[in-house]
Amino acid sequence: MDFSWDDLRLFLDVARLGGLSAATATTGLSAATLGRRITALERQLGEPLFARSQTGYRLTPPGEALLARAEDVETAMLSLKRWKEGAIGERVVRVSAGAWTSAFLASHIGALWSVDDRFGLELVTANEKVDIGRRNADLGIRNQRPSEQWLAGRLIGKVAYGLYSGLNLVNGIAAGYFVGIAGDGAQTQSARWMQARHGDRIAVRGNDSMSVRELVAAGAGLSVFPCFVGDSDPRLIRVAPLIAELETDQWLVSHHEERHTPAVRAVADRIGKLMGEHGALFRGERPGH
């Protein structure tokens, strides 16, 4: 059975917008013409794609199944269109890092990617190592040299950690309480350090890094942050010397076979330059307060 991309595209508009009238604006066709095209597609498939009512068109189970497959076709057609027009193309460089480093990269996206690049960029945020060997990412920012023989590593800096409070010493901070992290984040080195030394004083927890920062900024207690996070947030203040035992190296990791491809090499060089320019912030040498 041969499908027309034009028919599938009309089906997608009607399915997403919930009816013929709404889809007239995006397709440029009349409701009557759209209705005939959808009916013809249903006859071709031998199944009803929509349950029609006065309130609109609702997908049937066969319609739901076609929607998923039509969206796959749409993705492929958009990729083909970009390639033909010389835009982004099909190559996407995936960069894996922890939550804080991913947020830092996101805030400096202009230094890593531009609309003139012939590739896309995807940030893969994970507390655990993402398997670069299986191509789940092209580049990874890790706190230790890679041990896998198929991976290449480049030392790009160091990361210091400190103890921070909010500017307003209220609530938990005034009482000397700490803010901990629950869930997957509790397995990080800094979370384990705080649990071991101040576990009996942890009164409030968040289940992700960002919520812990908001809690500390609001006065719920003290917590440990990388200096590039704490020193760049005007709501936080470092209240003790750097925690020497938490300092880590920062490695940029890539696959031996992929690291010399133009897109991966370009992103790797830009990340290395960005981290170098902000090295003092990462090392805790630029306290914000």
Side-chain angles (χ1 to χ4, degrees):
M1 183 184 295
D2 293 329
F3 289 98
S4 161
W5 165 234
D6 286 339
D7 286 342
L8 290 178
R9 187 165 51 187
L10 295 179
F11 163 76
L12 284 170
D13 280 351
V14 174
R16 288 166 174 165
L17 296 173
L20 302 179
S21 298
T24 58
T26 57
T27 63
L29 300 177
S30 68
T33 300
L34 276 174
R36 286 195 297 271
R37 297 281 289 271
I38 294 298
T39 299
L41 183 59
E42 288 176 320
R43 285 191 188 130
Q44 184 181 7
L45 285 168
E47 305 230 42
L49 299 174
F50 296 98
R52 293 148 170 92
S53 70
Q54 302 236 341
T55 57
Y57 276 36
R58 181 173 50 82
L59 285 167
T60 61
E64 294 279 3
L66 179 61
L67 177 64
R69 289 158 179 77
E71 286 178 335
D72 289 340
V73 175
E74 181 184 45
T75 298
M77 294 301 292
L78 288 173
S79 176
L80 182 63
K81 181 174 182 288
R82 290 177 182 136
W83 170 77
K84 180 181 178 183
E85 294 175 352
I88 292 175
E90 293 192 31
R91 187 62 164 102
V92 175
V93 179
R94 306 183 79 212
V95 181
S96 70
W100 290 126
T101 305
S102 290
F104 178 83
L105 295 179
S107 68
H108 293 84
I109 185 62
L112 304 179
W113 180 84
S114 78
V115 294
D116 295 326
D117 288 322
R118 294 292 302 277
F119 56 84
L121 185 68
E122 181 178 342
L123 298 180
V124 183
T125 302
N127 287 320
E128 300 298 323
K129 287 196 301 186
V130 172
D131 195 339
I132 295 175
R134 294 179 183 271
R135 304 304 200 274
N136 292 328
D138 299 293
L139 295 166
I141 299 178
R142 299 181 179 176
N143 59 13
Q144 56 188 347
R145 181 198 294 269
S147 57
E148 302 90 338
Q149 62 181 11
W150 54 86
L151 298 182
R154 169 181 166 192
L155 184 63
I156 57 174
K158 290 185 177 294
V159 180
Y161 287 75
L163 193 60
Y164 292 84
S165 78
L167 290 178
N168 298 316
L169 302 183
V170 297
N171 202 3
I173 294 176
Y177 284 112
F178 286 76
V179 177
I181 186 165
D184 293 342
Q187 302 309 309
T188 63
Q189 185 181 4
S190 59
R192 287 197 292 262
W193 181 91
M194 192 165 58
Q195 180 66 38
R197 287 159 181 78
H198 307 290
D200 60 333
R201 303 292 292 171
I202 295 176
V204 180
R205 297 178 189 270
N207 68 353
D208 66 272
S209 301
M210 306 302 174
S211 63
V212 170
R213 179 174 61 180
E214 296 307 309
L215 286 165
V216 174
L222 305 157
S223 199
V224 175
F225 296 110
C227 290
F228 74 89
V229 174
D231 291 344
S232 59
D233 191 327
R235 303 172 302 167
L236 304 179
I237 184 169
R238 200 195 303 172
V239 297
L242 297 177
I243 305 169
E245 57 264 46
L246 287 181
E247 182 181 88
T248 62
D249 291 332
Q250 194 172 55
W251 289 84
L252 183 61
V253 179
S254 59
H255 196 284
H256 272 298
E257 295 178 0
E258 292 289 325
R259 60 185 175 137
H260 296 303
T261 61
V264 174
R265 186 174 67 244
V267 175
D269 288 346
R270 292 170 191 176
I271 290 175
K273 181 181 178 184
L274 176 67
M275 295 307 187
E277 290 172 347
H278 295 272
L281 177 65
F282 278 79
R283 294 190 299 269
E285 296 170 4
R286 292 182 180 173
H289 308 284

